[in-house]
Structure formats: C-alpha cells, structure tokens
Amino acid sequence: MQDYLGRGFMQWLEQLHMYGMAFNGIAILTDADHRPVAWGPKDAIAMFLRPDASEREEINRLLASIREDQGKNEHVYVTDLILSDQARIGRLYVQIVPNSPIKLPKEAWTAMLACSVEAARREKLEWEEGFARLRKQDVLFRAVQKLHATIDVDAVLQEVYDNMKEVYPASEIDIYLSQDYHSNAYFIKPLTFGPFLDDANTRAFMEGKIQLEEQGKRVKWLSVPLAGKQGIYGVLQIVAKQEWLDDSDVRFIALLADSAGSAFENAKLYEQSNLLISELRLINEITRRLNQSLKLNEIFNFASHELIDIFKADSVCILQVDPEQRTMIVKASNETKLINEHFPPDYGFAGSVTSTKEPLIVSDYRHDPRKPSRFMDLTGARSLMASPIIASSEVIGVVLVAHREPNYFSYDNFKLLQVLSGHIGLAMVNASLHAEVRRMVITDRLTGLYARHYLDEQINFMQKKDFCGSLIVVDIDHFKQINDTYGHQVGDKILIQVSQIIRSCIRDSDIAARWGGEEIAIYLPQAKMHQAAQVADRIRSRVYEETDPKVSISCGLSEWNWEDEKVSVESLFYRADMALYEAKHAGRNQIKLG
C-alpha cells in the first residue's frame, strides 16, 4: 500500500506546485495504521520515508507536534483520506507557516490528494494485473511443457499442485481422484460418491463442468474437472483464503486443469500399458511353470507362494471342492493351521463364490462382516479378494487372497486374480487328467489293483533302497472250472471279491497287482517271510469264508534281503512261483514258502 500512497502524495504536491497553489509548510501522509508513509518539505518536493533512523525520528517528532496542536492551532490541518469506494486508507497532516497565504481551500487539498492516490492505486492495480497475467501465462506455458513431457502419474499431480501453489500460495489446494490410486501426498484425496452426497467436487466430476461460488465479482472457491479424451479422472479444487479469484484466475485454472487432465490420461495409459505388458509376462511365466508340474500338491503350493508375491498379500488360501464328499478342503496356505481343514460347501466367502461362480472383493471385513470367515478371523485380515477356479463350467476350487490393511486391493488386482485363477484351474485339470491317465495305465480295469509292470517297477526301485521285502503270489483254485460252470461274468465277480479282500488285508505301503489271469501278486516292503506268511494266511482264510460262490486260493511266498548274492525282481518272482506250484500239487488252499 505504501508505494501507491507515496506516489499519489508526490503527484499531489507536484500538481499544487505546477498550478501555483503550493502552500508554505509541511505535509505528512500516514497509512491506515497511522504510520508515516511520505512527507513534503517546504520546497514542495515529496519524499518517501527512508529507513534512515535520524529522518524517521525527525518526522515522528514533527507528526507528534502536529497531533498535539490539532484543534488548538489554526495553522494545523488534519483530515482522513477517503477514496471513491469509501475506503479510509490514510490520514493527511498539514502544518502551514503562520501568515503565509493559502491559495486553495483545505477541502480541495484533500479531494486532489484522493484523486492522485486513487489514480496511483488504479495504475498500480493495472500494473499488478498485467504482471499477474504475464506470470500466469509463463506458469501455464512452463506447466504445459512439463506436463506433456511427463509419463509418471505422481509427477503430473505434483506438477499441477506446485504450479497452483506458485500462483496462489495462500489458498487451499486439493486434488480429488476417482480411480484406485494410493499416494502419500497430503493434497491428493479420494473422490467420494454416494446417494446422499451432492458437493461441488462430485457435481464437477459427474457433470464435467466448473463449479464455483461467487461473492460479487470475486470467486471464493473453484472446483474444476480433470478431464481427458476418454473420461474425467478427478477434480482440482482451490479455496481462496487471502487472495480472491477473478475471471482471469478461473480461465487460468481451467486451462491448467485441462492440460493436467490430458497429461494424467497419457501417463495413466502409459502406466496401464506397462502394467498390462508386465501382467502378460507374469501370466505367461506362471502358466509355463504351472504346466511344468503334473502333481496337484505342487501346483497348489507354487500358486500359493506366487499369489503372495504378486499381490504383496499377507495371507493366501487355496481350497479344492470335493463334490462327492460335499466339502471344501484347504490344499495350500501360508497359514499352516488351515491346511487340510474341511468346510461345508456353503461356508464363508468361499461358499458364496462356489454357489454364485462369481468373484468377490471385500474392502474392509471389519465393517462388512457379510459372512463368517475362519480365514479372515485367523489372519486378522481386513481386505479380501476371492475368485472361483472353474473347469468345464463347474467350480473346482476357490482362491482367497487377503491383507491386514483395509481397501488394499485395486480393481486391477481383482481382474488379475481372476485371470490367474483360470490358469490355476487349467493346471489343476491337466494334473488331474495326467493322474487319471497314469492311474489307468498302472491299474487293472477289472480288479482295481495295480498292473504287473507297475509292480515290477516298484519292486525294482525298492530293492535299491530297502534292506528286505517279501512277495506273495496268489492263485484262485479251480478258476477255469468256475468259468466253465458259472460263466465268465461270475468268474470276474470272484476276481473282484478276492481283490477287495486282499486290499483290506494289506498295509497302505503294500502293493497288490494282477499278475495275470486269476493270479495276483502282493509285495510287502520291509517285511520278513514270517510276516508275509501271516498276511497270506489271513487272506486265504477270508477268501474261503467270504466269497460267493465259495472259492479257495493257493499262495507261494518268497523274500529277499540285502545280503543275498543275487537280488532281482525275476529271482523273487521265480521262487514265489515255484512255491505256488508246490502249493497247487500239495492239494491247494494252502501256503508254501519259496
């Protein structure tokens, strides 16, 4: 203020002198806070008050003297300086030398001074407005250059904020974004939507139009949409605190927001394209590695570890649906307490996914407890993504990915999980088909026992790592007579009955295989001959008691141990076969040791 007050005061004294109306005395102009701004000596040359201490002290003494004589001395004249807008901006103190002529009424002095100050103020405002326009143009030019050279979303938003703060340092500036966006910047805030929300930011975003509040010709606050060619991404809001906004400010902010919206869109598209490329590479790598494994447990464990790494999750759980048992089984999880736990098919979030065949996302489990969840309770998680594993239009499993922070997972994370779940499903199907084909290859179709070649392979393998083992060769007595008497279907039925009895009499580690025709071989790893004889006798007695029509069996046994001179599958079978031959010729329904 002091600059245009002093300039107007100088022009006033110069005008008085120019028109021969100068007075003999001294004048002092103070501002609205009664501080001296400028003074005019007797030669009518106005001076700004310099920071010189001696001069300031002199003027303050003179001003104090004039104030003391105010109302007492007719040579002292004091009046307020009021402009056309009725604003009191200062006070004029005049002390005239006694007996000197006054060529102009004192009231005219004040009017002339007011005109001079107002002209100086108008000139200053015009200069400031012109400078502000040039400054805004410069800021806008530099901002547009930087924004369109930037392909980083964070850098775009920071550039917008910095430029706004450069022009409007005292105003409150915030950027509200509609998309999933995590930032530690205090000026970035989420744009909230809801049926009962109707604030300016929401309207600016929904309508794509500037929202503002005016007081006279001034703008108090302004909300401008950040729009690109493909949509609106957020809102730039400025709330004026000290400086008021006018039409030129609205135009400047609108242009800046328009450039920022385009730059944000370009940076977002670049970011999304890079993310898409990364996701495709990730999907390709995971698919390749999933398909390398043909064992379900390996697939589950690999997928569990990869999902934790990909989504930076705290917990993962993969469940397999068993339609026959009507249950869901936890097959893999970093929470070991959950592994192999069984849940009803309608339990928790996994049950919802299974029944609807649709994925779901929970932003905050603490405030959205739609379903009971042992997984969420055990892990203390608040964010959850759940996706079905589908094969042939049926849900064969469910993937759960969780984090302890609320609102942790983005929509992009949600979409990626669905894609990965599909590939996990394909790997599961491939592994299941491979296991089924292998089972069919190594299994006798009629009896359900292993095939002879599988038995040979396993005995050969165990003879290389174990210390001993025993072999039982079983032959159904008079089997040809049964086929001739009752028919081959009954003969098949007898084979199935004997096979079931054998399976129920042996350990899980023992291997029973159809050796050929009506002969069945049983290998007992790490078993001595006397142990094998007990098993064989138990099988023989149960076959005789439980088969219908009643049949008997003969058994030949052999064993090996690491001290034998020759250890081979052939010699083991040969000795067992010879023992079986002895049992047959000794009257059948008995056991012989080879």
Side-chain angles (χ1 to χ4, degrees):
M1 180 184 289
Q2 291 185 358
D3 55 350
Y4 73 81
L5 276 176
R7 192 173 295 107
F9 185 76
M10 290 172 61
Q11 292 174 358
W12 172 64
L13 286 180
E14 289 172 357
Q15 287 174 355
L16 289 178
H17 184 75
M18 183 185 303
Y19 296 116
M21 299 179 182
F23 59 88
N24 187 13
I26 190 167
I28 302 173
L29 181 64
T30 65
D31 59 18
D33 296 323
H34 307 290
R35 292 173 301 191
V37 175
W39 63 286
K42 296 178 181 179
D43 57 2
I45 304 299
M47 299 289 290
F48 281 109
L49 195 62
R50 293 188 300 271
D52 181 79
S54 59
E55 182 186 70
R56 185 174 294 278
E57 289 178 4
E58 179 185 347
I59 295 299
N60 283 332
R61 283 196 301 271
L62 184 58
L63 184 60
S65 173
I66 295 174
R67 286 172 177 166
E68 186 177 342
D69 290 341
Q70 181 180 351
K72 302 176 184 177
N73 190 337
E74 63 179 0
H75 301 292
V76 172
Y77 174 65
V78 180
T79 182
D80 288 332
L81 182 60
I82 300 174
L83 302 186
S84 60
D85 58 1
Q86 303 302 311
R88 177 189 173 278
I89 62 169
R91 179 169 289 184
L92 176 65
Y93 295 85
V94 179
Q95 186 179 53
I96 302 171
V97 174
N99 303 319
S100 62
I102 299 176
K103 302 178 181 179
L104 193 69
K106 298 174 182 178
E107 290 77 8
W109 288 350
T110 307
M112 287 180 66
L113 177 59
C115 289
S116 297
V117 170
E118 190 146 20
R121 184 177 72 167
R122 189 163 51 250
E123 181 182 332
K124 176 179 181 292
L125 289 175
E126 289 175 355
W127 181 87
E128 287 179 346
E129 288 175 358
F131 179 78
R133 278 195 301 272
L134 290 173
R135 184 178 174 219
K136 289 173 188 175
Q137 289 175 0
D138 179 61
V139 169
L140 186 61
F141 177 75
R142 287 188 285 109
V144 170
Q145 279 188 318
K146 287 185 179 180
L147 285 172
H148 288 286
T150 303
I151 53 175
D152 180 74
V153 173
D154 288 330
V156 168
L157 297 174
Q158 188 67 52
E159 183 67 24
V160 173
Y161 179 79
D162 291 344
N163 282 283
M164 288 291 290
K165 269 299 181 183
E166 181 181 345
V167 180
Y168 309 104
S171 295
E172 183 179 317
I173 296 164
D174 294 299
I175 298 175
Y176 293 84
L177 296 180
S178 63
Q179 297 185 352
D180 296 326
Y181 186 78
H182 298 283
S183 174
N184 294 324
Y186 64 91
F187 59 86
I188 297 176
K189 299 177 180 178
L191 190 60
T192 307
F193 300 92
F196 304 107
L197 296 175
D198 186 31
D199 63 356
N201 294 325
T202 304
R203 291 196 306 274
F205 179 81
M206 298 298 293
E207 298 174 10
K209 297 179 180 178
I210 296 174
Q211 305 293 319
L212 53 82
E213 180 181 333
E214 293 181 303
Q215 289 185 357
K217 294 183 178 180
R218 299 292 185 179
V219 176
K220 186 176 181 181
W221 57 258
L222 184 69
S223 293
V224 185
L226 297 173
K229 293 181 179 179
Q230 297 185 2
I232 300 173
Y233 300 95
V235 175
L236 171 63
Q237 184 184 61
I238 176 170
V239 179
K241 294 297 183 180
Q242 296 179 8
E243 63 264 280
W244 287 86
L245 308 177
D246 56 22
D247 290 341
S248 66
D249 294 303
V250 174
R251 288 192 298 271
F252 165 74
I253 296 170
L255 288 171
L256 181 62
D258 184 62
S259 297
S262 298
F264 183 89
E265 182 176 73
N266 292 337
K268 198 70 177 174
L269 289 172
Y270 179 78
E271 184 181 89
Q272 289 173 349
S273 64
N274 283 340
L275 179 62
L276 183 59
I277 292 170
S278 299
E279 287 181 357
L280 289 173
R281 288 176 178 168
L282 175 66
I283 292 168
N284 182 60
E285 177 64 18
I286 288 180
T287 302
R288 184 183 66 80
R289 294 182 62 183
L290 283 171
N291 290 331
Q292 283 179 347
S293 177
L294 293 173
K295 295 181 179 179
L296 278 174
N297 286 338
E298 291 180 359
I299 290 171
F300 290 137
N301 290 328
F302 170 75
S304 175
H305 286 104
E306 287 299 309
L307 290 172
I308 288 175
D309 186 56
I310 291 166
F311 297 111
K312 309 302 179 198
D314 290 327
S315 305
V316 164
C317 180
I318 301 178
L319 301 97
Q320 187 177 20
V321 176
D322 187 342
E324 294 181 0
Q325 301 294 328
R326 291 188 55 77
T327 185
M328 296 184 295
I329 308 166
V330 178
K331 289 296 185 178
S333 176
N334 60 325
E335 300 293 336
T336 54
K337 294 180 181 178
L338 289 171
I339 295 176
N340 292 325
E341 279 203 25
H342 289 60
F343 295 97
D346 59 348
Y347 177 80
F349 295 108
S352 297
V353 169
T354 303
S355 61
T356 62
K357 299 183 181 180
E358 294 290 337
L360 63 82
I361 186 167
V362 177
S363 297
D364 192 347
Y365 176 67
R366 190 175 297 174
H367 297 112
D368 185 20
R370 289 176 286 178
K371 291 279 186 179
S373 175
R374 175 162 162 70
F375 174 62
M376 298 294 282
D377 295 335
L378 182 65
T379 60
R382 296 178 66 176
S383 298
L384 172 72
M385 296 189 296
S387 179
I389 302 173
I390 297 176
S392 300
S393 302
E394 294 297 326
V395 177
I396 61 172
V398 178
V399 178
L400 303 177
V401 182
H403 199 280
R404 292 186 182 90
E405 292 182 14
N407 306 299
Y408 181 78
F409 299 112
S410 67
Y411 182 61
D412 289 332
N413 294 150
F414 190 48
K415 290 190 296 181
L416 180 58
L417 178 62
Q418 295 173 56
V419 174
L420 294 176
S421 297
H423 288 280
I424 294 171
L426 289 174
M428 288 174 62
V429 170
N430 288 340
S432 298
L433 289 174
H434 180 268
E436 179 63 19
V437 169
R438 177 168 172 77
R439 187 194 66 79
M440 292 171 65
V441 168
I442 66 174
T443 304
D444 178 67
R445 185 174 181 182
L446 177 63
T447 62
L449 301 178
Y450 287 111
R452 178 173 176 171
H453 69 87
Y454 178 77
L455 178 63
D456 291 344
E457 291 171 1
Q458 292 300 307
I459 294 175
N460 183 57
F461 172 72
M462 292 180 186
Q463 284 180 334
K464 293 177 181 177
K465 71 180 186 69
D466 294 342
F467 291 99
C468 64
S470 297
L471 179 68
I472 304 171
V473 177
V474 177
D475 184 78
I476 301 173
D477 298 331
H478 305 295
F479 189 70
K480 183 178 183 302
Q481 186 179 342
I482 292 171
N483 282 333
D484 293 342
T485 304
Y486 299 103
H488 287 283
Q489 288 184 340
V490 174
D492 291 345
K493 181 181 177 183
I494 290 296
L495 273 171
I496 293 170
Q497 290 179 36
V498 172
S499 299
Q500 290 174 344
I501 291 169
I502 289 173
R503 274 201 298 265
S504 66
C505 291
I506 62 177
R507 303 168 298 178
D508 290 339
S509 59
D510 299 335
I511 303 170
R514 189 177 180 185
W515 198 37
E518 70 276 17
E519 291 179 328
I520 297 172
I522 308 161
Y523 180 73
L524 291 77
Q526 304 279 26
K528 294 290 186 177
M529 182 77 83
H530 70 279
Q531 295 170 314
Q534 292 174 357
V535 174
D537 191 59
R538 184 163 61 245
I539 294 170
R540 183 196 61 78
S541 60
R542 284 189 59 185
V543 167
Y544 190 74
E545 293 171 359
E546 298 176 15
T547 52
D548 181 27
K550 187 182 295 293
V551 296
S552 63
I553 60 171
S554 299
C555 301
L557 279 65
S558 64
E559 71 170 347
W560 71 273
N561 66 66
W562 65 279
E563 295 177 338
D564 291 343
E565 183 178 343
K566 183 179 180 182
V567 177
S568 68
V569 177
E570 292 78 11
S571 64
L572 188 66
F573 269 100
Y574 178 77
R575 286 183 275 117
D577 196 33
M578 290 298 100
L580 176 63
Y581 182 77
E582 290 180 21
K584 288 283 188 181
H585 282 272
R588 295 183 173 84
N589 193 23
Q590 56 185 280
I591 300 168
K592 289 293 181 180
L593 307 180

